[in-house]
Amino acid sequence: MKYSVDMNYLIESFRRVVNTPSPVGYYVKLNPVLEKMADELGYSVSYDQKNTLYITVDGEDNTKTVAVGAHVDTLGLVVRSINANGTLSIRMLGGVCMPSIEGETVTVHTRSGKDYSGLVICKYHSVHVFDEAHKAERNEDTIQILLDEDVKTKSDVQALGIQNGDVISIEPRVQLTENGYLKSRFIDDKGAVACSFAALKYLKENSLKPKYKTVFAFPYHEEIGIGGAYVPSEISEYVAVDIGLIGPELDGDEYSVSICAKDALCPYDYELTSKLITLAQKAECEYAVDVFYRYSTDANAAMRAGNNIKNAAFGMAVYCSHGMERTHIKGLENTTGLLLEYLFAE
């Protein structure tokens, strides 16, 4: 059965969450938005001590509990130090593709609650000034933040309330073309968050329950490998909805849902992965099965942390992961279709 997913709601949900900053560990702005989105659909939320947000949906059979995880943390930066000339040195939050952010607008979030915009520059920022402009490696030692403020010294910056350790979010720049291509930073993994809410909307509007009690989990630490490390004890399956990849030796594309058989660390549960392949066929989804390199998910973080679970992963494939990413709305639609089929399956 092919599901009729509200794609307008899915895309608007994506815009809503991707335009709300949430770099690794920074939950203060997005959790209220997610809570409001859940409330609008008639769901309540709960939290753990890591500020993971949970939406729990009763199933037809509550003797078994499964989890669907879509991480809400994105790549970002943090203030490493304030330089003598008023620029900011940085450290990465997650594996930022540094060349992709040069020239991008960022926002520095101070602990007092005030935000300041800035520009990502290379230390050798101009081809007219520096011989190194073309050849310098873009890394944590050469990338800096130029604040959009009249600051010339370290003390000028400190007077604004900016300090070491302040979180820096990167402008996502969402674009949706008329023929359905979605271009944005952080489709990883806010595309999956939007798919999860589209599935929740489908359940509510059709007065349906999943087969088993289902916990939708939205963690904040996937990009550093520990988002799924804690799993509530009643959960027996953890399915991560996360991006797929596009490249040599991979069958996935922007229009399909990618099912991950193995990532950089270990294979996913054999039976559960096989089940997802069968369910993709049943839901009439375009799909691919792939083995990913330099990639992992919260479902494997949960396994590595010693939780007694089965794990699996699937999601929309993107170009240019950890940079300015691109996928197609058909990939999001197929991902949501497989998610719904999984929710209803025995």
Side-chain angles (χ1 to χ4, degrees):
M1 169 185 173
K2 192 169 182 66
Y3 294 94
S4 179
V5 177
D6 187 341
M7 293 304 296
N8 289 330
Y9 174 81
L10 192 157
I11 293 300
E12 286 312 306
S13 294
F14 175 76
R15 291 185 186 275
R16 200 168 172 182
V17 296
V18 83
N19 284 318
T20 305
S22 60
V24 176
Y26 186 69
Y27 48 81
V28 292
K29 291 185 183 292
L30 185 56
N31 267 350
V33 173
L34 295 177
E35 192 165 334
K36 189 170 190 298
M37 290 171 64
D39 182 67
E40 289 167 356
L41 294 177
Y43 296 102
S44 58
V45 306
S46 60
Y47 298 94
D48 62 21
Q49 293 300 314
K50 297 197 300 182
N51 288 284
T52 300
L53 183 144
Y54 299 102
I55 299 173
T56 301
V57 183
D58 278 340
E60 298 289 350
D61 177 359
N62 284 337
T63 62
K64 177 179 176 178
T65 304
V66 302
V68 172
H71 71 88
V72 285
D73 61 311
T74 68
L75 305 171
L77 307 168
V78 67
V79 177
R80 165 183 172 182
S81 62
I82 303 170
N83 300 316
N85 65 356
T87 60
L88 307 178
S89 290
I90 55 91
R91 292 289 189 201
M92 294 189 296
L93 291 173
V96 180
C97 180
M98 297 295 269
S100 79
I101 66 170
E102 186 176 2
E104 187 57 89
T105 293
V106 296
T107 302
V108 181
H109 305 280
T110 68
R111 293 186 187 271
S112 68
K114 191 163 184 180
D115 295 342
Y116 295 95
S117 68
L119 180 71
V120 179
I121 64 169
C122 179
K123 184 178 178 180
Y124 311 105
H125 54 81
S126 173
V127 296
H128 296 102
V129 179
F130 300 101
D131 291 337
E132 300 92 335
H134 283 301
K135 60 187 178 182
E137 183 179 350
R138 272 52 177 174
N139 57 36
E140 291 180 328
D141 294 325
T142 60
I143 288 292
Q144 299 177 339
I145 305 301
L146 184 67
L147 290 167
D148 299 330
E149 300 288 334
D150 185 12
V151 291
K152 296 179 175 64
T153 66
K154 179 176 180 176
S155 59
D156 289 343
V157 176
Q158 291 173 322
L160 298 176
I162 295 173
Q163 60 185 324
N164 297 347
D166 284 346
V167 171
I168 303 169
S169 62
I170 304 165
E171 173 66 35
R173 299 203 179 278
V174 185
Q175 300 173 62
L176 180 63
T177 69
E178 290 184 2
N179 55 350
Y181 289 98
L182 180 64
K183 297 183 286 187
S184 176
R185 299 188 191 278
F186 317 133
I187 296 173
D188 176 12
D189 194 30
K190 289 183 174 178
V193 175
C195 291
S196 297
F197 273 88
L200 285 163
K201 183 175 186 285
Y202 186 94
L203 292 174
K204 187 64 69 171
E205 288 187 341
N206 292 281
S207 300
L208 295 170
K209 288 184 176 183
K211 175 60 181 177
Y212 302 111
K213 185 177 182 180
T214 303
V215 178
F216 287 80
F218 302 97
Y220 279 90
H221 299 88
E222 192 274 347
E223 295 293 359
I224 57 172
I226 59 171
Y230 168 74
V231 178
S233 59
E234 69 273 17
I235 291 170
S236 60
E237 290 181 5
Y238 194 114
V239 174
V241 187
D242 208 330
I243 61 165
L245 306 176
I246 296 171
E249 300 184 3
L250 299 176
D251 288 342
D253 58 39
E254 296 170 281
Y255 316 100
S256 307
V257 54
S258 291
I259 299 170
C260 182
K262 180 193 178 298
D263 65 19
L265 298 168
C266 54
Y268 288 83
D269 182 81
Y270 187 85
E271 289 185 348
L272 186 52
T273 301
S274 298
K275 177 180 176 180
L276 289 176
I277 294 168
T278 300
L279 294 176
Q281 296 165 351
K282 183 178 178 182
E284 301 176 36
C285 295
E286 296 177 54
Y287 75 94
V289 182
D290 271 319
V291 172
F292 294 141
Y293 174 60
R294 290 181 177 167
Y295 171 99
S296 193
T297 71
D298 279 335
N300 251 348
M303 181 70 79
R304 298 196 312 275
N307 294 284
N308 184 26
I309 57 166
K310 292 187 174 186
N311 65 346
F314 66 85
M316 58 281 142
V318 303
Y319 274 102
C320 309
S321 61
H322 284 200
M324 176 60 79
E325 297 164 343
R326 195 186 84 165
T327 192
H328 194 276
I329 57 173
K330 287 184 178 179
L332 297 166
E333 184 177 26
N334 281 310
T335 297
T336 310
L338 178 53
L339 174 55
L340 286 166
E341 196 66 53
Y342 168 73
L343 293 176
F344 297 133
E346 293 191 14

